[in-house]
Amino acid sequence: MTSATVNIEELRALIAGVLEIEPEEVTDEAHFTDELDVDSLLMLEISTRVESAYDVPENTVVISGARTLAELHAYLVSKLVGETSAGPVIRPRPLSDPAARLFLFHHAGGSHLLYRGWAEHFSQDWELCLLEAPGRGHLQTLPLIDDCDRLVDYFHNAIAPLLDRPFGFFGHSLGALIAYQLARRLHHEGDPLPTWLGVSAYGAPRAEAGTDDRPHLMSDDELRGWLRSVGGSTPQLLDNDAVWPTFAPVFRSDFKLLDTWAPPHDPEPLPVPLSVFGGRRDKLIGEDRLLSWRAFTTRFRGLERYEGDHFYVMDHRQPLAAAITAAMRSAAA
């Protein structure tokens, strides 16, 4: 069985059936105990049905420690894809001989779940590889990494065996920085380079830090307010005092990585085709910052903007998949 069989909507319906509520009430981040009133008997029933539906060992749900639908889904994905269960690479549709691989890097405070459902919009002979940073999802027991170079090291070691065929990188926000820095690392060490690099909702590196906010130093109230203004984080997460402490360290660690990263001075342009993506109503990154990426590549492929804010990607999976596919194929031609 593969993680392609772990459909989050089916899992949502399963839990809603046990609780006798509508599926839309089981939001991704709704806390089982605090918001959905799941007691020990109900959790036992959910566990039994999950074990039957997905053919996983007894007590899998209990062992997972999952507190939300998103966490349970991530854990089941990790358990059902045995070859990647202990690492940061999640392959929703594993292939023995893919024509190409696309590595997807998530945003600050996020996880590989940003890209759930993307695989169905790509060619059947492409393998999508969703990168998961430590401290979240099925890697929640691992310590968080708040340094850019160390996170690049971590991902570099994980994907090295998978660079044996044409591949591309796409990163959103924090993920764009990691994807760029990983491409630089591959270039510096003489490793295979991506056919194409896509950066989303993140401005090109600047030598001067400027006067941007430094979210990792904000108080809890300030950070929650800032995240609300940016969009993309659910009210169930930001407004629930019982849930917030679980996610706050992840946000702070990721923002510390961004806030303390020292951009390279006069970096050599990458010999990799690079495309830029953004939301038209993004309050964090304007068009000028996005276009400044042209100086960081010898083959700038332009900017594509979509309706939406910093997290426009959530509403444009299909057109983004089409744009990425076209860009990778064009770059490889």
Side-chain angles (χ1 to χ4, degrees):
M1 182 177 292
T2 72
S3 63
T5 63
V6 189
N7 182 290
I8 195 169
E9 297 306 327
E10 292 176 359
L11 188 59
R12 190 190 315 278
L14 181 153
I15 294 173
V18 173
L19 303 182
E20 299 183 349
I21 60 178
E22 294 300 318
E24 55 266 27
E25 296 180 59
V26 186
T27 61
D28 290 7
E29 306 297 345
H31 196 281
F32 289 151
T33 302
D34 297 337
E35 295 179 67
L36 298 178
D37 294 325
V38 177
D39 59 21
S40 57
L41 289 177
L42 286 172
M43 185 56 74
L44 178 61
E45 177 63 21
I46 291 172
S47 182
T48 299
R49 294 201 191 183
V50 167
E51 290 157 14
S52 175
Y54 298 106
D55 192 26
V56 293
E58 187 177 358
N59 294 323
T60 291
V61 175
V62 175
I63 293 171
S64 74
R67 294 152 296 186
T68 65
L69 171 65
E71 290 183 7
L72 180 57
H73 179 258
Y75 186 81
L76 288 173
V77 166
S78 73
K79 296 303 292 182
L80 293 176
V81 186
E83 63 181 324
T84 61
S85 62
V89 183
I90 296 169
R91 293 185 274 183
R93 191 175 59 203
L95 300 175
S96 59
D97 186 29
R101 287 192 174 103
L102 176 63
F103 295 91
L104 300 169
F105 301 80
H106 62 74
H107 58 292
S111 72
H112 78 278
L113 293 175
L114 175 68
Y115 299 110
R116 63 173 176 255
W118 277 46
E120 64 189 71
H121 300 296
F122 287 86
S123 172
Q124 290 294 311
D125 62 356
W126 281 30
E127 184 174 73
L128 266 62
C129 300
L130 319 185
L131 276 295
E132 185 94 291
R136 68 210 79 204
H138 72 288
L139 301 179
Q140 60 185 315
T141 60
L142 298 181
L144 294 159
I145 296 178
D146 60 9
D147 177 81
C148 185
D149 287 341
R150 287 198 295 117
L151 187 55
V152 169
D153 286 340
Y154 182 75
F155 284 148
H156 185 194
N157 291 333
I159 72 170
L162 303 175
L163 306 183
D164 59 345
R165 61 203 62 233
F167 65 93
F169 288 167
F170 177 88
H172 178 72
S173 197
L174 165 67
L177 169 60
I178 302 303
Y180 166 69
Q181 284 293 91
L182 185 49
R184 290 185 69 227
R185 175 73 58 82
L186 296 176
H187 182 47
H188 176 74
E189 298 190 3
D191 291 336
L193 290 176
T195 301
W196 171 85
L197 171 61
V199 292
S200 168
Y202 189 79
R206 295 185 297 183
E208 298 297 329
T211 58
D212 293 344
D213 292 325
R214 295 171 67 83
H216 84 283
L217 298 177
M218 294 178 178
S219 69
D220 267 9
D221 287 344
E222 289 173 335
L223 180 55
R224 291 161 88 170
W226 184 82
L227 288 168
R228 287 189 193 95
S229 71
V230 172
S233 295
T234 63
Q236 290 88 346
L237 187 159
L238 296 177
D239 298 338
N240 190 313
D241 291 337
V243 174
W244 170 251
T246 300
F247 292 91
V250 179
F251 280 113
R252 291 193 182 282
S253 176
D254 289 352
F255 287 133
K256 182 179 179 182
L257 184 156
L258 287 168
D259 294 343
T260 60
W261 176 65
H265 289 282
D266 299 320
E268 176 187 359
L270 281 173
V272 175
L274 186 152
S275 302
V276 186
F277 303 83
R280 292 192 179 92
R281 293 183 285 105
D282 190 336
K283 298 177 182 178
L284 291 179
I285 306 297
E287 184 176 0
D288 57 335
R289 290 290 314 283
L290 295 174
L291 286 173
S292 62
W293 277 105
R294 60 162 56 98
F296 291 79
T297 174
T298 59
R299 299 173 64 186
F300 184 65
R301 304 302 294 264
L303 166 65
E304 293 192 29
R305 302 184 78 189
Y306 295 80
E307 187 56 38
D309 57 17
H310 192 66
F311 288 93
Y312 74 93
V313 292
M314 295 179 176
D315 299 318
H316 299 283
R317 288 184 298 182
Q318 189 167 352
L320 276 168
I324 291 170
T325 298
M328 279 189 63
R329 287 178 172 165
S330 174

